[in-house]
Amino acid sequence: MKLPYQKRIFTPQNISFLLLFFCLSISIYVRLAPAYFPQAKAQAQRIITHRMQLKTAAAMEQKYPGYNERAKEKIVEDIIKEEQKKKEFKGLVRQEYRKLIRPYQDKDGHTYLLELDPYQWMRNTENVVRFGHPGTEKKENKIYDTYMLAPKGLEVVPIQFLFFCSAFFYKIYSFFFQHTPLVHFLFYLPLVYVSIFLTLLYFFSRRFFSRWGAFFTTLFVGLSEIFVLRSCVGWFDYDTLSMTMPLLIVWCLSLAFTSKGNWKRLIFYALCASFFQGLYTFTWIGWWFIFLIVIAAVVFITLNNYLIAQPRERVNRESILNIAGILIFFAGSIFFCFLISGGNLIKDFFTLLKDNLYLGDSASKSIWPNVSYTISELQAASIRTISNSLYNKSIAVLSVASLVWIYFKERRGENKFVIYSMVFWTVFMTYASFKAVRFILYLAIPLGFFLGWAIHEMGSLIRRKFSYNRKIRLFCVAAFAFLLSYLITVMITTGIKKSRTIYPMLNNEWANTLSYLKDNTPQDAILNSWWDFGDWFKALAHRRVIFDGQSQKGFLAYWMARAMLSTDEQESIRILKMLNNASDTTFSVLSRYVRDPFLAERLLERLLFLDREGGEKILKQYKVPPSAIVVILDDLHKRPGAAYFIVDKSMLVKMGSISFLGNWDFKRVFAAHNINSPEAEVRKGLEDIFSL
């Protein structure tokens, strides 16, 4: 007998809400691990249990030296079980737990922000709250961060949506809850961005297939280990917002292209998509990928329509709508890009596309080494790495098989724009993942989308095809239920397991050192070290740096590595003088008059080993004007302001990367840059420039 209220409770809307609520709840629970380190609780219990076992076993051995060993082990085991039930044992575990987590928390018991970049983004957000812009000063309508690339400073790039959005949320929060430090607020803010993204992903997927399919899509993306790592509490970074924007762009364009001749609807949603594209240029430096993908999808669909036998009138009508929609999107994107971020979308698109061609390569378009080549998250991924990051090989294969199935089933249907966009998205991000491992994060969205759609199709297939035979239907239902249970179990356990391996890089030892530097060095001091620590120096010691994670240019990285590797102390001091006096501008000044960059680099190498008079003589031979000679020689010989060099034991692990950069072979780079030149010309260049 059905109760009258059952129908009202289990409505499709309520079921959708419950499924979404479950996805959000488990995703937030998993991402909260770095706030309280549940793995440390288990570790503390093991430590106290082990100590108690040793103590009890020693007491038993002393009291009953000749007793049977197996019997003593059983007695010890029983005693430990009883002790674990007592308050004293639990108190010892709590004490050990606090001891284990104390190095990763500040004096208020809050976990430090994770990694390095979040401290720079925290500074930018703090500057927005204080000054209304993310820099430390504003000159001629340009925003600068004077703590970066000391002593000259650096113009803040127009990727600022994270800072303004986070500052907005913080001001709202502070209105109700005053005296909350910004760093503590930003620690938990990633949960808000994740909740927004997963909610949008669920309803985006729900539009194309069932709520259960959307549930698995959301779970697949939300609990993938690389997304958990880059969106848990403490990881205050671009990643979640950079995944949200392309989803909104594809969603809006799909609504535009399914308007069925409703021009108002088409124009409205195409403009919405272009708005989010413009906002995307203000959000993440990789914004250009989705712009390329959606245009390619429309072009491919339009050309494909003319190759398929179907009514010409229908093809022409659809092509007109597609071309009109993409032109509106194209024009609107140019407008909103300029309006929101102040950029030139077309120019920036080709610039970024060209720059990314060198991603994953040791060389760059300049003569200097590509520092990104030494960064772990920008290392090339293998197929195994990609499949393991998407849970395991079985689920990765299942998601790719889902893509193939849905593609062939829906490629000519009403939702073909979404299908082609997601397929191109998968292909693009697979290629990008082979160049840099961090792009696996963006690969999870289309694969999760196709997996959810395939699950929906499997359920529909079982209902339609096997209803005539009860036994076959039961078998298929059981197998399908087993598959779903397996997916849910693997996804949840993977997310939990990954979250319990996450610790902040910063610890109390570093925090105390940074506090000491803040209190005991001049305010205008420059801190010299490897680029990794630059964000900490700026955010916590409030001091300027040579370079950091956002400005580790090839020139700076090469010379700092040379200073560390050199066996000649005077050479190191001369290099550090150059960096502290002029940042990366010495080579720029020299290359204005010595046009060949390889010759300019060789000349700079010679100047490092000459006194001021010898350097002036050499520069005059190359017809460098007196004013530029004074600037260059001042960079090399003038005593800089207060500067400190800081080393850390972790730099031993990084010595491979430092050695790679500091031992950069300019001769081989010269040969590579001139690979299409005549051999005699290359030989002459090697002789003239490198004295070979």
Side-chain angles (χ1 to χ4, degrees):
M1 177 179 175
K2 291 186 178 180
L3 297 176
Y5 61 83
Q6 279 184 314
K7 187 176 180 181
R8 293 198 302 272
I9 293 176
F10 297 105
T11 61
Q13 292 79 6
N14 289 346
I15 294 174
S16 290
F17 172 78
L18 291 173
L19 292 175
L20 175 60
F21 178 77
F22 178 84
C23 289
L24 295 179
S25 298
I26 191 64
S27 295
I28 291 172
Y29 167 75
V30 164
R31 286 169 170 80
L32 278 170
Y36 63 96
F37 303 109
Q39 65 273 29
K41 292 182 179 179
Q43 184 182 357
Q45 183 157 350
R46 289 194 299 270
I47 291 172
I48 298 302
T49 300
H50 181 65
R51 289 176 186 170
M52 194 170 287
Q53 285 172 337
L54 294 176
K55 184 178 179 181
T56 307
M60 287 293 296
E61 182 64 31
Q62 185 177 5
K63 190 172 182 180
Y64 307 107
Y67 208 62
N68 181 275
E69 291 297 326
R70 295 287 297 274
K72 282 192 291 186
E73 289 177 6
K74 183 67 171 63
I75 294 172
V76 170
E77 185 179 330
D78 293 339
I79 291 173
I80 296 301
K81 286 181 180 178
E82 289 299 320
E83 289 293 328
Q84 287 177 339
K85 298 177 182 178
K86 296 180 180 179
K87 290 183 178 180
E88 291 80 2
F89 177 85
K90 295 178 181 178
L92 290 172
V93 171
R94 285 195 296 271
Q95 185 178 352
E96 185 67 25
Y97 165 69
R98 287 193 292 270
K99 181 181 176 182
L100 290 172
I101 67 173
R102 192 177 301 127
Y104 305 105
Q105 295 184 327
D106 60 21
K107 63 181 185 300
D108 298 322
H110 289 274
T111 304
Y112 296 116
L113 293 179
L114 308 180
E115 262 285 343
L116 301 160
D117 291 345
Y119 284 93
Q120 171 63 20
W121 313 145
M122 180 189 73
R123 286 186 63 249
N124 292 129
T125 304
E126 183 179 23
N127 289 337
V128 171
V129 173
R130 293 175 59 193
F131 310 126
H133 58 76
T136 54
E137 67 178 26
K138 194 172 185 179
K139 295 179 182 177
E140 300 176 353
N141 293 323
K142 292 185 177 181
I143 302 168
Y144 293 90
D145 190 334
T146 54
Y147 280 43
M148 299 174 70
L149 293 186
K152 69 172 188 174
L154 179 68
E155 185 179 352
V156 179
V157 296
I159 308 296
Q160 303 170 9
F161 181 62
L162 174 69
F163 318 138
F164 283 97
C165 186
S166 302
F168 174 74
F169 282 138
Y170 178 66
K171 288 180 180 180
I172 293 176
Y173 182 86
S174 300
F175 181 80
F176 298 99
F177 304 96
Q178 298 178 358
H179 310 300
T180 301
L182 177 64
V183 64
H184 296 164
F185 174 79
L186 296 181
F187 182 84
Y188 289 100
L189 186 59
L191 298 181
V192 176
Y193 292 137
V194 167
S195 299
I196 293 171
F197 167 69
L198 292 180
T199 301
L200 290 171
L201 178 63
Y202 177 85
F203 285 109
F204 170 77
S205 304
R206 178 70 183 86
R207 180 179 179 273
F208 299 102
F209 42 89
S210 68
R211 65 184 72 88
W212 281 101
F215 167 78
F216 279 95
T217 294
T218 309
L219 211 60
F220 179 94
V221 178
L223 296 179
S224 58
E225 64 174 33
I226 192 168
F227 186 38
V228 169
L229 171 65
R230 303 187 69 89
S231 61
C232 59
V233 291
W235 195 290
F236 177 59
D237 212 328
Y238 296 104
D239 300 283
T240 306
L241 288 176
S242 67
M243 295 169 72
T244 304
M245 295 300 168
L247 184 71
L248 290 171
I249 292 167
V250 172
W251 194 351
C252 289
L253 284 175
S254 72
L255 293 171
F257 292 131
T258 54
S259 58
K260 297 180 180 179
N262 187 331
W263 283 93
K264 289 183 179 179
R265 177 186 170 94
L266 184 144
I267 293 170
F268 173 76
Y269 283 114
L271 287 176
C272 286
S274 62
F275 168 78
F276 288 119
Q277 180 66 71
L279 190 60
Y280 202 15
T281 65
F282 195 51
T283 303
W284 185 48
I285 196 169
W287 59 264
W288 59 275
F289 93 90
I290 198 65
F291 184 75
L292 175 65
I293 283 171
V294 296
I295 291 178
V298 172
V299 171
F300 186 87
I301 290 169
T302 303
L303 294 176
N304 193 40
N305 282 344
Y306 285 100
L307 299 176
I308 301 171
Q310 53 182 319
R312 186 63 57 184
E313 183 181 348
R314 176 186 170 188
V315 171
N316 291 337
R317 184 171 63 252
E318 184 177 336
S319 297
I320 291 171
L321 293 173
N322 288 345
I323 293 171
I326 207 65
L327 287 177
I328 293 169
F329 169 72
F330 186 83
S333 296
I334 294 173
F335 171 75
F336 284 115
C337 174
F338 176 77
L339 182 67
I340 297 173
S341 64
N344 183 327
L345 185 135
I346 303 302
K347 179 183 176 182
D348 294 344
F349 173 83
F350 286 106
T351 300
L352 291 169
L353 178 61
K354 185 178 179 181
D355 289 345
N356 278 270
L357 293 175
Y358 293 94
L359 192 65
D361 297 335
S362 59
S364 64
K365 61 183 179 181
S366 71
I367 68 170
W368 305 103
N370 183 3
V371 185
S372 299
Y373 185 73
T374 66
I375 300 174
S376 58
E377 70 174 31
L378 297 179
Q379 298 293 313
S382 63
I383 294 177
R384 176 178 292 182
T385 303
I386 295 173
S387 62
N388 289 340
S389 298
L390 299 172
Y391 299 101
N392 57 42
K393 189 184 295 183
S394 300
I395 294 180
V397 170
L398 180 62
S399 62
V400 172
S402 300
L403 180 152
V404 175
W405 181 22
I406 300 303
Y407 168 75
F408 281 106
K409 184 178 183 300
E410 301 288 341
R411 62 195 170 119
R412 293 173 186 169
E414 181 182 356
N415 297 312
K416 55 187 169 185
F417 169 76
V418 171
I419 298 299
Y420 281 109
S421 295
M422 287 295 181
V423 168
F424 288 161
W425 186 333
T426 304
V427 172
F428 182 92
M429 283 304 170
T430 300
Y431 170 78
S433 298
F434 286 131
K435 302 280 275 184
V437 69
R438 71 158 298 177
F439 294 110
I440 300 173
L441 174 69
Y442 303 92
L443 186 57
I445 294 177
L447 290 180
F449 177 79
F450 285 116
L451 179 64
W453 198 327
I455 287 172
H456 160 71
E457 292 294 335
M458 288 181 202
S460 300
L461 196 64
I462 292 171
R463 285 194 303 270
R464 292 195 315 267
K465 297 293 185 181
F466 303 110
S467 58
Y468 62 89
N469 190 311
R470 187 169 179 271
K471 289 184 179 180
I472 295 178
R473 181 185 176 93
L474 286 175
F475 173 79
C476 292
V477 168
F480 188 52
F482 174 80
L483 173 64
L484 300 187
S485 301
Y486 168 75
L487 291 174
I488 292 173
T489 303
V490 172
M491 290 174 188
I492 293 176
T493 54
T494 299
I496 292 174
K497 183 179 179 181
K498 184 61 182 180
S499 70
R500 298 190 178 190
T501 64
I502 301 172
Y503 287 88
M505 291 181 65
L506 189 70
N507 54 36
N508 286 341
E509 187 178 17
W510 256 110
N512 293 335
T513 300
L514 295 167
S515 179
Y516 177 85
L517 290 169
K518 178 183 176 183
D519 297 335
N520 294 278
T521 59
Q523 288 190 355
D524 62 346
I526 298 175
L527 301 186
N528 292 240
S529 188
W530 195 233
W531 63 264
D532 300 51
F533 310 117
D535 290 333
W536 291 350
F537 294 152
K538 292 178 299 180
L540 302 177
H542 299 281
R543 294 296 180 268
R544 298 179 297 166
V545 298
I546 295 293
F547 56 176
D548 48 47
Q550 295 74 45
S551 60
Q552 70 277 47
K553 296 183 179 181
F555 175 90
L556 295 169
Y558 168 74
W559 286 112
M560 184 61 78
R562 276 282 303 275
M564 292 180 179
L565 296 173
S566 177
T567 57
D568 184 343
E569 185 176 293
Q570 292 305 312
E571 179 188 2
S572 295
I573 290 173
R574 191 73 56 82
I575 291 171
L576 293 175
K577 278 185 177 180
M578 175 179 68
L579 297 179
N580 283 270
N581 279 324
S583 185
D584 63 345
T585 60
T586 308
F587 180 77
S588 301
V589 173
L590 184 59
S591 60
R592 290 177 200 162
Y593 309 101
V594 182
R595 295 293 183 179
D596 188 312
F598 292 98
L599 183 58
E601 191 280 328
R602 289 292 97 185
L603 181 57
L604 188 55
E605 293 267 8
R606 291 177 63 188
L607 293 173
L608 285 169
F609 293 93
L610 297 172
D611 57 18
R612 194 175 186 101
E613 291 74 18
E616 184 176 359
K617 185 178 179 181
I618 291 291
L619 290 171
K620 285 181 178 178
Q621 292 177 7
Y622 285 91
K623 299 181 180 180
V624 179
S627 58
I629 291 176
V630 171
V631 171
I632 293 169
L633 294 179
D634 279 350
D635 292 347
L636 297 176
H637 297 278
K638 187 178 69 175
R639 182 182 179 87
Y644 299 82
F645 200 96
I646 300 165
V647 292
D648 170 72
K649 56 190 176 186
S650 69
M651 291 171 66
L652 289 171
V653 181
K654 299 164 188 168
M655 196 50 65
S657 298
I658 294 171
S659 178
F660 166 77
L661 296 169
N663 290 308
W664 189 242
D665 192 340
F666 289 96
K667 298 182 289 297
R668 296 184 69 178
V669 177
F670 176 84
H673 279 218
N674 294 277
I675 196 167
N676 295 319
S677 301
E679 182 180 339
E681 186 178 319
V682 177
R683 285 181 178 273
K684 188 175 186 307
L686 290 170
E687 291 173 3
D688 294 344
I689 298 173
F690 299 98
S691 302
L692 290 181

